[in-house]
């Protein structure tokens, strides 16, 4: 639900109040939602107010409001606001988000992937090397990692996102020991698909066992 601007001195409600700003620093709208709302839910409300498609929007935490997120990286659609601002003293408070309009071709291609109308294999080559594009794509289908650029197939955050969606995605990662350790420490079940050269490595095995408990 999108709310009209209100006196910010009023007592904070149990809801989260999100103030959405443009690149020029002007406030575009406010969104009232719960801590369990996803970023995609916020985009839907913003889109209804400003006439934007979800795929046209990138939302970034304003640096002076950000807590548990990098102010230089867009919030993921699947992320809940509770997770994004997990360390805030009062999760029922007010936070600012920066709205950045995404390139329409980029956004349309990403939406086509999410809706199953396209795979990463068929998108323009420059998108396969676009970190944000690939990261959002593998969150939808981890196996898309196979079509990412060589550099991104060894990117820790991209690989973790892909394996988190589908453990089989690790088969397409360009692995070194450090990356394998990071993956199995987060997803112990991935041990069965790590490259053979690492499966008997004591450090890797122990990391996986500790994660699985």
């Amino acid at each position: 639900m999108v709310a009209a601007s209100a006196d910010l001195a009023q007592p904070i409600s149990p809801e989260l109040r999100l103030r959405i700003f443009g690149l020029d620093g002007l406030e575009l709208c406010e969104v009232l939602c719960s801590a369990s709302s996803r970023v995609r839910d916020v985009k839907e409300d913003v889109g209804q107010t400003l006439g934007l498609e979800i795929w046209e929007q990138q939302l970034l935490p304003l640096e002076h409001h950000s807590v548990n997120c990098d102010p230089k990286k867009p919030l993921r659609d699947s992320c809940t606001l509770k997770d994004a601002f997990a360390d805030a003293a009062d999760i029922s408070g007010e936070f600012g988000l920066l709205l950045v309009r995404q390139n329409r071709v980029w956004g349309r291609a990403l939406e086509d992937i999410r809706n199953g109308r396209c795979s990463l294999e068929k998108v323009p080559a420059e998108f396969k090397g676009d970190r944000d594009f690939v990261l959002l794509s593998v969150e939808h289908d981890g196996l898309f990692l196979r079509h990412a650029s060589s550099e991104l197939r060894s990117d820790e955050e991209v690989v973790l996102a892909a394996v988190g969606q589908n453990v089989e995605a690790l088969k397409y990662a360009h692995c070194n020991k450090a990356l394998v350790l990071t993956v199995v420490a987060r997803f112990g079940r991935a041990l069965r698909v790590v490259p053979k050269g690492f499966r008997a490595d004591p450090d890797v095995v122990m990391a996986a066992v500790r994660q699985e408990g």
Side-chain angles (χ1 to χ4, degrees), residues 12 16 65-68 85-95:
I12 296 174
L16 275 174
H65 284 159
S66 65
V67 179
N68 195 38
F85 301 105
D87 296 331
D90 183 1
I91 193 60
S92 64
E94 174 188 298
F95 298 94

Side-chain angles (χ1 to χ4, degrees), residues 120-190:
L120 189 59
E121 180 182 14
K122 299 184 182 300
V123 302
E126 60 266 28
F127 291 169
K128 298 178 184 180
D130 183 306
R131 190 174 185 277
D132 288 337
F133 189 93
V134 171
L135 187 57
L136 292 169
S137 297
V138 298
E139 286 179 345
H140 172 75
D141 186 339
L143 297 182
F144 284 172
L145 183 65
R146 77 180 82 176
H147 303 301
S149 69
S150 178
E151 179 182 359
L152 292 178
R153 288 165 70 182
S154 61
D155 183 287
E156 180 179 303
E157 186 177 5
V158 171
V159 173
L160 284 173
V163 174
Q165 200 284 322
N166 188 328
V167 72
E168 297 291 327
L170 188 59
K171 294 178 180 178
Y172 305 108
H174 291 169
C175 293
N176 54 40
K177 183 172 178 177
L179 179 58
V180 170
L181 281 170
T182 299
V183 170
V184 298
R186 181 83 61 87
F187 307 106
R189 65 187 185 281

Side-chain angles (χ1 to χ4, degrees), residues 15 19 26 35 46 60 68 73 79 82 94 111 114 129 148 152 174 209:
E15 299 175 305
R19 299 178 64 188
L26 296 178
V46 171
L60 296 85
N68 195 38
K73 293 183 180 179
C79 180
K82 180 179 179 180
E94 174 188 298
E111 192 68 6
R114 288 171 167 167
L152 292 178
H174 291 169
V209 169

Side-chain angles (χ1 to χ4, degrees), residues 103-131:
N103 175 283
R104 292 184 67 86
V105 176
W106 191 101
R108 176 68 75 181
L110 182 61
E111 192 68 6
D112 284 346
I113 284 177
R114 288 171 167 167
N115 291 334
R117 295 190 294 264
C118 179
S119 74
L120 189 59
E121 180 182 14
K122 299 184 182 300
V123 302
E126 60 266 28
F127 291 169
K128 298 178 184 180
D130 183 306
R131 190 174 185 277

Side-chain angles (χ1 to χ4, degrees), residues 3-6 8 17-22 24-31:
S5 295
L8 300 183
R17 174 183 289 167
L18 301 180
R19 299 178 64 188
I20 312 299
F21 294 86
D24 57 5
L26 296 178
E27 184 171 346
L28 302 174
C29 64
E30 285 188 1
V31 175

